[in-house]
């Protein structure tokens, strides 16, 4: 596609519910990143994929967070047993292997846990 | 100490003013530097890359000072439409991961 597509755009979850957030990167982009952005803060790194390999998941805040990219294109970020502190905007970004051209973000998923 | 630090502002300036933001980074081996713009409730969008020799794009000038480990963004002749949050991004130096500052808020008023 022309850009990075994320769905859903908004998600309201009850505390304890599991959620799955989808990211469809730009076709051919090898690198895919997930970020979490709280209000008034910059994006905080969660995890990084190069093709289907998850090379870095050091930013995942707990073992309730899980991400996958099984075929090296679409990625899913799953949050189990959501808590109120998980409320944030979840951003996905992709880039070509040569990063001199920067990173393209999707519109994000705004997750509210009630 | 955070890896990438920015003054959150807000910077409140009149139309036509010149305004400058700095961003400091801690990893001296960092190789790639960018400025992103983020409008309220929108995703970050690439404003410009920052090259070692400095670069200009219209009213925007970006500079890199490796010795002091900071990058800067200068906006000349500010427009109302420049009102946004400006995010500094640093990557490289042994890491694939782009690290963001918390952003600097700019408000341009009539």
């Amino acid at each position: 596609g022309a850009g990075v597509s994320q769905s859903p755009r908004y998600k309201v979850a009850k505390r304890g519910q599991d959620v799955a957030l989808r990211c469809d990167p730009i076709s051919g982009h090898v690198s895919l990143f997930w970020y979490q952005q709280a209000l008034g803060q910059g994006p905080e790194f969660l995890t990084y994929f190069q093709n289907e390999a998850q090379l870095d998941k050091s930013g995942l805040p707990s073992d309730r967070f899980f991400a996958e990219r099984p075929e090296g294109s679409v990625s899913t970020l799953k949050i189990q047993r959501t808590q109120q502190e998980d409320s944030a905007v979840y951003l996905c970004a992709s880039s070509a292997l040569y990063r001199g051209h920067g990173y393209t973000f999707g519109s994000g998923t705004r997750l509210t846990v009630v | 100490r955070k890896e990438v630090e920015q003054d959150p502002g807000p910077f409140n300036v009149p139309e036509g003013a010149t305004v400058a933001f700095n961003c400091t980074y801690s990893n001296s081996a960092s190789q790639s530097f960018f400025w992103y713009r983020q409008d309220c409730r929108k995703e970050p969008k690439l404003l410009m890359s920052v090259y070692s020799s400095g670069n200009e794009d219209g009213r925007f000038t970006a500079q890199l000072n490796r010795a002091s480990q900071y990058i800067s963004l200068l906006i000349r002749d500010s427009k109302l439409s420049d009102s946004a949050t400006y995010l500094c991004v640093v990557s490289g130096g042994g890491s694939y991961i782009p690290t963001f500052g918390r952003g600097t808020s700019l408000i341009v008023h009539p």
Side-chain angles (χ1 to χ4, degrees):
Chain A
V4 179
S5 177
Q6 289 189 249
S7 62
R9 186 75 177 87
Y10 302 94
K11 177 69 179 178
V12 178
K14 290 185 178 178
R15 194 156 53 106
Q17 186 179 350
D18 297 350
V19 298
L21 313 180
R22 176 188 167 107
C23 172
D24 200 339
I26 291 173
S27 179
H29 273 191
V30 169
S31 297
L32 185 146
F33 305 85
W34 283 98
Y35 286 84
Q36 180 190 62
Q37 187 172 27
L39 194 63
Q41 301 296 318
E44 294 286 340
F45 169 74
L46 294 176
T47 187
Y48 163 61
F49 290 87
Q50 186 171 314
N51 295 307
E52 69 279 2
Q54 188 174 22
L55 297 187
D56 192 321
K57 55 181 182 179
S58 62
L60 296 177
S62 78
D63 59 8
R64 296 185 295 104
F65 287 69
F66 171 76
E68 61 183 3
R69 193 186 185 197
E71 296 177 2
S73 54
V74 171
S75 177
T76 304
L77 175 67
K78 297 178 179 177
I79 309 173
Q80 297 177 322
R81 304 180 304 282
T82 51
Q83 304 293 317
Q84 282 194 317
E85 62 262 27
D86 300 335
S87 296
V89 175
Y90 291 85
L91 293 163
C92 174
S94 71
S95 73
L97 196 57
Y98 170 59
R99 292 171 293 282
H101 297 296
Y103 311 87
T104 304
F105 281 84
S107 300
T109 294
R110 183 174 297 276
L111 173 65
T112 303
V113 181
V114 297
Chain B
R1 181 187 169 195
K2 288 204 68 163
E3 290 183 49
V4 179
E5 296 206 51
Q6 294 182 255
D7 179 347
F11 285 63
N12 206 317
V13 303
E15 272 186 292
T18 295
V19 62
F21 312 132
N22 279 349
C23 163
T24 58
Y25 60 95
S26 60
N27 184 350
S28 59
S30 297
Q31 296 169 323
S32 300
F33 307 89
F34 307 93
W35 282 103
Y36 275 71
R37 170 191 169 130
Q38 187 172 27
D39 293 290
C40 188
R41 303 180 82 85
K42 299 284 190 181
E43 75 273 21
K45 292 187 177 176
L46 180 65
L47 178 66
M48 57 197 303
S49 302
V50 185
Y51 302 123
S52 297
S53 55
N55 48 298
E56 192 174 301
D57 182 1
R59 298 181 294 109
F60 298 83
T61 301
Q63 295 202 312
L64 168 63
N65 185 317
R66 285 192 183 274
S68 300
Q69 293 180 212
Y70 74 84
I71 66 173
S72 63
L73 178 67
L74 181 79
I75 306 175
R76 289 181 298 279
D77 188 24
S78 299
K79 311 291 184 192
L80 295 177
S81 57
D82 294 334
S83 298
T85 296
Y86 291 83
L87 295 159
C88 168
V89 184
V90 176
S91 70
S95 171
Y96 292 110
I97 311 306
T99 301
F100 285 74
R102 66 172 293 180
T104 297
S105 175
L106 172 65
I107 301 169
V108 182
H109 59 83

